[in-house]
Amino acid sequence: MFSKQRTGFRLVENNPIAQYYTIDRQLTCPVPEPDPPVWKIYDAVSKSDGKEVSIHVYEKKGCDRVGRGRRREAIAELLKEGVVRLIQHAAPRILHVVHGPEENAECLAFASERVLGTLSTILASQDVVEPNLQGQKGNLNGNSELCQFIHYNFIDFEYRYGLCQITEALLFLHVSCQLVHRNVCPGTIFITSKGTWKLGGLEHAGALGKSDDEVLCQAWTTKMPKAAQPNLNYIAPEIQHKSCYSSSSDMFSLGMVYISCFNSGQSVIQASHSTSQYFKIAGQLSEKVAEILPLIPIGLQVLVDKLVNQDTRHRPSARQLVQAPYFGDPAVQALQFLETLDIKDTNQKAQFFRNSLIEVFPLIPRKLWLQQIWPSLEQELTKQEVMAAVLESVMFLVSECSQLEYLTYIQPSVRPIFSGPKTVQASVTLLEQLPILLEKTEQEELQSQILPMVYLALESNMSQVQMAAVSVVPAILDYLCDDVIRSELLPRARNVYSTNGADVKIVLSLLACIAKILDKLDRAVIIDEVLPLLCDIRLNDINILITVLDIYRVMLSDRKYGLNMTLLATRVLPVLIPQAVNPQLSMENYLIVHGTIQEMMDHIDRHQRNKLKLEGDLPKTAECLRIRSEKFSDNVSIPNLVIRRPSVVQGPMSSHCSAMGRFGSIPSNNSSGESSPENNNYLRVSALFGNRRWSENTLPVGNRSPLSSVSSPGSAPGSPVGLPNRRHSSATQRRRSSSNLLVHSTIVTSPLGGSVPNSLGKSSPVSSRRSSRVGRTGSSSSLIGGRKPSLAGVGEWSGSPPASSPSLLQTIGNNVCSLLGRN
């Protein structure tokens, strides 16, 4: 907030420094300070490069305590000498002067790095509620002028880090510059816009004695203007008692600064510009310090007690103080490294940004991330040799900050990297960490900056860059439409394979990309783009093969992927089946390959069966075949004949069977050579049952005669080829048929032997397909353990064979006549 207040704008306007900088508002404390600073601070901007700076102005006529005439000019010279010393002894812990002192009759001014104010002003403004005051923006030419109240609250870590910085500044002055500051107090400590603490106010600095011996000096006196003397509340006792100083005098003042940081900005000594009051409080210093110690952090209490000791021999040096455990915090050391980057080599920087800084990030308060860490990272991002390492720290910072913080502070510096030149490692790092940026990036930035970078990476000649680009594709799919994926990303991904198909790592990265984006693609894109790529990939490497099989199994799990049986049969299986005999497969991998192929075959079988069922082409069951056979048999007119196949017999029948096999026809009873009607019937039956197999039934061994090799068992008389043999199972494995119980008088026999099945499948009293072997005596005890024989010869041929053998047809005729006569 701002309030109206008369300031020195018009004085600064006439100062020569105004031609280099545009002066803005003055920084002031919202409450009166017990010791107002000599220098007034204004915000300003450089007219040449737009850099923000702070203008420090000493108004020669602005304060009555300064005095008049020569005194005023003497004070101005003293302050100017202090600015010159700041320039001469420039260091990271010393306030950086960007423009030297400029003086006119009214004021003295110089420009420094941008500061928030002095430690004294900020400590006075701690926990002060900002006043709700309205004002108008002031300028150099306006009538109303504004001041900016300082509102800044320190956290505990800032005290630790800031006090360490001031201690290092004193170490630099004592060791490197051989100077004693002599005015270490909150009014000479400046807090920069980055949050670092810088030491200024070298106007009272004096040379260090040889071997750090005491050096004579002027003690504080009321006879001189306060602006021309150090702050009495922080002066060491030996200066007032003995008018001499040494490096330990600065250490006493530093101890008082430590106390003021935890005591609302107040020193233990409150002399009120009175030397007598100073001596009085100095005599009670130990008691006063003991009362304040509980307010100080435990790790700092012992140090403070030693620093404010009136005996200089007990005070630690700046070097000893810097090495104290209180300042050995890893976060403090990391911030110290950032401030000394200019003197570090490339390897040290890379190691720090890749490892050390990321490890200590959680230990550093978030308040300091953008205030102190980001400015250093931003500066190093412009250097190609460390860009890749810096990007890792930057990405961690981006992941932890809010979107507003990213868009305000970080994005303006990161945007040029997308399209600008960068090393291969920097490109890989940026691509690998791209999902972090996408969470904070707006859609417009994605389309204009990030996607073109990804496209260029996919088309790069560097395999590392291509691999990183392929890996990051799944992360950006949620931000892209289907047209961009199909027309821009997938074609480039296929091109990566076409140019680097032999690189196993790139192929695996590409397959991993496909596996991740599969759920985000529609069926048409999968069939047109993904499946051809999977079919083209060479499966020489086992890891590639297993990854491809994993993708296929995912595609089989849901119909939305469009992997139908036609694609499986024509495009996928022809590629996968040869892999079943891949010599590189282990048992585990073989089972995976076999299981996937089997799953595909089952998929084809299931869908094909369903398709055929829906089309009405049902499978023919046994019952359907039986019904069809009966219908076919009913349409054929076949006489109900019982035909027995000639059996193999021994004895006198062998010559008769041989004679039958040598002739083309069987002679009839009238000894005529012409075919009889019975022969014609036999041929018709034989033609009908040409594919039926007949059993190889035989007569008992004692009545058998060798069958001529010319004849074929089961052949029709006069036929060159007999009926195919039919086998029956062992009689012991079948249940006994009722035909086994027939007596000899009910069995129709044939001189040639052999059983003939019922051609129509109807019951017949003279034949049975399950005929059993019957012995000569008609006993059924010989039925077990043999092949099922024919019933021929049982009865008539119980003795010797007949003298003559009638023809087959003649025998059939006689049997038919016998049956008709009985009926």
Side-chain angles (χ1 to χ4, degrees):
M1 298 300 296
F2 307 98
S3 64
K4 287 186 178 181
Q5 181 177 336
R6 295 292 298 178
T7 62
F9 276 114
R10 295 182 181 180
L11 296 178
V12 179
E13 182 183 17
N14 297 326
N15 190 287
I17 203 171
Q19 61 182 324
Y20 304 105
Y21 300 95
T22 301
I23 313 299
D24 202 353
R25 294 158 293 187
Q26 179 186 354
L27 303 177
T28 60
C29 182
V31 294
E33 297 183 63
D35 295 310
V38 176
W39 296 95
K40 294 182 178 181
I41 303 175
Y42 297 84
D43 287 338
V45 178
S46 174
K47 293 181 179 180
S48 60
D49 55 8
K51 185 177 181 180
E52 294 182 341
V53 298
S54 293
I55 303 296
H56 302 253
V57 179
Y58 164 67
E59 298 178 6
K60 295 180 179 180
K61 301 179 180 180
C63 186
D64 295 335
R65 59 180 177 153
V66 171
R68 298 180 180 179
R70 293 181 180 179
R71 270 187 163 184
R72 183 183 301 166
E73 294 299 328
I75 293 174
E77 289 296 325
L78 178 65
L79 296 177
K80 183 188 297 184
E81 184 179 356
V83 176
V84 173
R85 287 175 179 169
L86 289 176
I87 299 174
Q88 292 175 348
H89 304 292
R93 298 290 183 255
I94 304 299
L95 182 66
H96 178 56
V97 177
V98 296
H99 190 92
E102 298 284 353
E103 185 180 9
N104 62 1
E106 296 177 330
C107 64
L108 173 69
F110 73 94
S112 72
E113 59 184 314
R114 188 68 173 264
V115 298
L116 301 177
T118 63
L119 179 62
S120 173
T121 304
I122 294 177
L123 290 176
S125 64
Q126 292 283 324
D127 302 325
V128 175
V129 180
E130 184 178 1
N132 186 17
L133 300 176
Q134 299 292 332
Q136 298 177 354
K137 184 176 181 179
N139 52 64
L140 294 177
N141 299 322
N143 296 324
S144 60
E145 299 166 347
L146 293 177
C147 296
Q148 179 177 353
F149 290 128
I150 298 174
H151 289 280
Y152 189 91
N153 292 321
F154 287 119
I155 59 178
D156 292 341
F157 180 82
E158 287 183 280
Y159 287 125
R160 183 195 301 262
Y161 181 47
L163 294 176
C164 180
Q165 290 173 315
I166 300 303
T167 305
E168 290 177 346
L170 287 178
L171 178 62
F172 169 75
L173 291 177
H174 294 170
V175 176
S176 300
C177 303
Q178 294 293 304
L179 290 177
V180 178
H181 191 280
R182 292 186 58 205
N183 191 26
V184 179
C185 64
T188 58
I189 297 175
F190 296 87
I191 311 301
T192 68
S193 58
K194 296 180 180 180
T196 57
W197 294 19
K198 300 291 184 75
L199 184 61
L202 296 182
E203 53 270 9
H204 301 289
L208 188 66
K210 185 178 295 185
S211 300
D212 198 13
D213 294 335
E214 293 183 344
V215 179
L216 295 176
C217 66
Q218 175 65 46
W220 197 93
T221 177
T222 57
K223 297 179 180 180
M224 295 180 61
K226 294 185 287 293
Q229 300 183 84
N231 192 325
L232 180 60
N233 294 336
Y234 294 88
I235 290 179
E238 63 270 15
I239 295 179
Q240 291 299 107
H241 286 292
K242 299 187 295 183
S243 297
C244 62
Y245 69 87
S246 64
S247 62
S248 61
S249 301
D250 283 348
M251 304 313 295
F252 178 90
S253 301
L254 182 62
M256 287 298 174
V257 172
Y258 284 5
I259 292 175
S260 66
C261 290
F262 304 99
N263 191 35
S264 301
Q266 301 294 321
S267 170
V268 174
I269 300 176
Q270 293 294 318
S272 301
H273 307 293
S274 170
T275 55
S276 60
Q277 183 70 14
Y278 176 89
F279 288 124
K280 179 181 179 179
I281 298 176
Q284 305 172 351
L285 187 60
S286 299
E287 294 79 2
K288 295 282 187 182
V289 172
E291 295 175 0
I292 301 297
L293 282 180
L295 303 177
I296 300 173
I298 297 177
L300 199 59
Q301 291 178 3
V302 176
L303 297 177
V304 170
D305 190 50
K306 292 180 179 181
L307 287 172
V308 297
N309 197 303
Q310 297 195 35
D311 189 348
T312 58
R313 295 172 298 179
H314 293 90
R315 299 173 192 168
S317 64
R319 187 182 300 278
Q320 293 173 338
L321 200 59
V322 169
Q323 297 174 353
Y326 181 75
F327 300 120
D329 187 86
V332 172
Q333 295 176 354
L335 295 178
Q336 290 174 339
F337 188 95
L338 287 174
E339 295 180 358
T340 57
L341 286 175
D342 294 338
I343 61 175
K344 305 295 183 181
D345 57 34
T346 302
N347 293 332
Q348 290 176 325
K349 291 181 181 180
Q351 180 69 19
F352 174 76
F353 288 123
R354 283 197 177 97
N355 301 319
S356 303
L357 183 58
I358 296 177
E359 291 176 358
V360 301
F361 248 122
L363 305 178
I364 302 174
R366 294 178 60 92
K367 176 183 177 181
L368 304 182
W369 288 1
L370 296 176
Q371 187 179 28
Q372 296 191 19
I373 299 178
W374 169 241
S376 299
L377 297 178
E378 184 180 15
Q379 181 181 358
E380 296 297 319
L381 271 178
T382 59
K383 302 176 181 179
Q384 293 288 332
E385 60 272 12
V386 294
M387 181 184 292
V390 175
L391 279 173
E392 296 188 17
S393 296
V394 170
M395 292 307 167
F396 180 88
L397 185 62
V398 172
S399 64
E400 298 295 331
C401 69
S402 64
Q403 184 176 9
L404 179 60
E405 291 172 335
Y406 168 73
L407 297 176
T408 304
Y409 299 100
I410 301 178
Q411 189 185 57
S413 299
V414 174
R415 184 184 295 114
I417 300 178
F418 294 142
S419 56
K422 46 188 173 291
T423 62
V424 173
Q425 189 60 39
S427 300
V428 172
T429 303
L430 189 59
L431 289 169
E432 290 176 345
Q433 305 294 334
L434 198 57
I436 298 175
L437 292 176
L438 293 176
E439 295 178 358
K440 309 291 174 63
T441 304
E442 296 179 343
Q443 186 67 23
E444 181 180 356
E445 186 78 9
L446 172 67
Q447 299 292 338
S448 61
Q449 298 292 335
I450 296 180
L451 281 183
M453 180 191 67
V454 175
Y455 296 156
L456 290 175
L458 289 173
E459 298 171 355
S460 174
N461 295 327
M462 306 301 297
S463 60
Q464 293 178 334
V465 177
Q466 284 187 329
M467 188 182 305
V470 169
S471 301
V472 80
V473 167
I476 65 177
L477 290 180
D478 293 336
Y479 304 91
L480 305 177
C481 60
D482 293 340
D483 293 339
V484 174
I485 295 174
R486 182 168 185 171
S487 61
E488 300 291 343
L489 286 181
L490 285 180
R492 286 182 169 87
R494 295 191 64 180
N495 185 55
V496 170
Y497 172 75
S498 63
T499 56
N500 298 277
D503 194 327
V504 176
K505 292 183 179 180
I506 291 184
V507 175
L508 289 175
S509 298
L510 181 60
L511 291 175
C513 172
I514 292 175
K516 292 178 181 179
I517 70 176
L518 205 59
D519 289 336
K520 304 180 184 299
L521 302 177
D522 56 18
R523 179 179 299 185
V525 176
I526 293 175
I527 300 303
D528 296 341
E529 299 291 341
V530 176
L531 188 59
L533 178 59
L534 293 177
C535 295
D536 291 342
I537 290 178
R538 293 187 291 272
L539 306 177
N540 298 330
D541 186 81
I542 298 300
N543 294 325
I544 295 177
L545 173 60
I546 299 302
T547 306
V548 171
L549 293 177
D550 291 339
I551 296 175
Y552 279 136
R553 281 197 295 271
V554 172
M555 296 174 68
L556 281 173
S557 64
D558 199 323
R559 297 179 61 183
K560 68 179 182 179
Y561 298 111
L563 191 59
N564 54 38
M565 63 178 182
T566 303
L567 295 174
L568 287 174
T570 59
R571 303 179 67 176
V572 179
L573 284 175
V575 177
L576 294 184
I577 289 177
Q579 296 302 319
V581 294
N582 190 331
Q584 300 179 10
L585 291 178
S586 63
M587 176 58 70
E588 181 181 359
N589 293 332
Y590 171 75
L591 294 177
I592 296 175
V593 176
H594 177 270
T596 304
I597 295 176
Q598 186 63 45
E599 185 178 355
M600 292 180 178
M601 295 297 296
D602 294 342
H603 183 81
I604 294 174
D605 177 70
R606 182 171 57 255
H607 285 76
Q608 188 67 8
R609 285 177 180 270
N610 293 337
K611 176 183 176 182
L612 295 177
K613 286 180 181 180
L614 292 176
E615 293 176 356
D617 192 1
L618 299 176
K620 296 177 176 58
T621 62
E623 183 67 18
C624 296
L625 294 175
R626 187 186 65 80
I627 296 174
R628 182 176 179 182
S629 176
E630 290 182 356
K631 291 181 179 180
F632 175 77
S633 301
D634 292 342
N635 295 330
V636 180
S637 177
I638 302 175
N640 188 10
L641 301 178
V642 178
I643 304 174
R644 292 185 180 274
R645 193 182 67 151
S647 300
V648 179
V649 296
Q650 296 179 358
M653 288 297 297
S654 61
S655 60
H656 174 72
C657 294
S658 299
M660 290 176 60
R662 287 193 297 268
F663 293 100
S665 62
I666 301 175
S668 61
N669 291 337
N670 55 10
S671 301
S672 63
E674 297 179 359
S675 299
S676 64
E678 290 81 1
N679 291 349
N680 293 333
N681 290 337
Y682 181 88
L683 295 177
R684 287 166 57 189
V685 174
S686 176
L688 179 62
F689 297 95
N691 295 326
R692 187 180 180 100
R693 295 186 299 175
W694 303 88
S695 63
E696 297 176 353
N697 299 331
T698 59
L699 291 174
V701 178
N703 296 330
R704 293 181 182 178
S705 62
L707 184 64
S708 172
S709 61
V710 178
S711 64
S712 175
S715 298
S719 175
V721 180
L723 296 176
N725 295 332
R726 179 178 182 183
R727 300 181 189 178
H728 290 274
S729 61
S730 174
T732 59
Q733 298 176 359
R734 291 178 174 266
R735 66 181 180 87
R736 297 178 182 179
S737 174
S738 59
S739 62
N740 296 333
L741 304 177
L742 294 176
V743 295
H744 301 293
S745 60
T746 61
I747 299 177
V748 180
T749 60
S750 172
L752 299 179
S755 63
V756 179
N758 189 346
S759 61
L760 296 179
K762 299 178 181 180
S763 61
S764 174
V766 297
S767 66
S768 174
R769 295 186 60 184
R770 296 184 179 179
S771 57
S772 302
R773 182 175 180 180
V774 181
R776 294 182 181 178
T777 61
S779 173
S780 61
S781 61
S782 62
L783 294 173
I784 302 174
R787 195 175 182 86
K788 186 162 60 175
S790 173
L791 296 177
V794 181
E796 287 93 347
W797 292 1
S798 58
S800 61
S804 63
S805 299
S807 65
L808 177 62
L809 292 179
Q810 182 179 358
T811 304
I812 292 173
N814 295 334
N815 292 337
V816 172
C817 292
S818 298
L819 291 174
L820 292 177
R822 293 177 183 178
N823 294 332

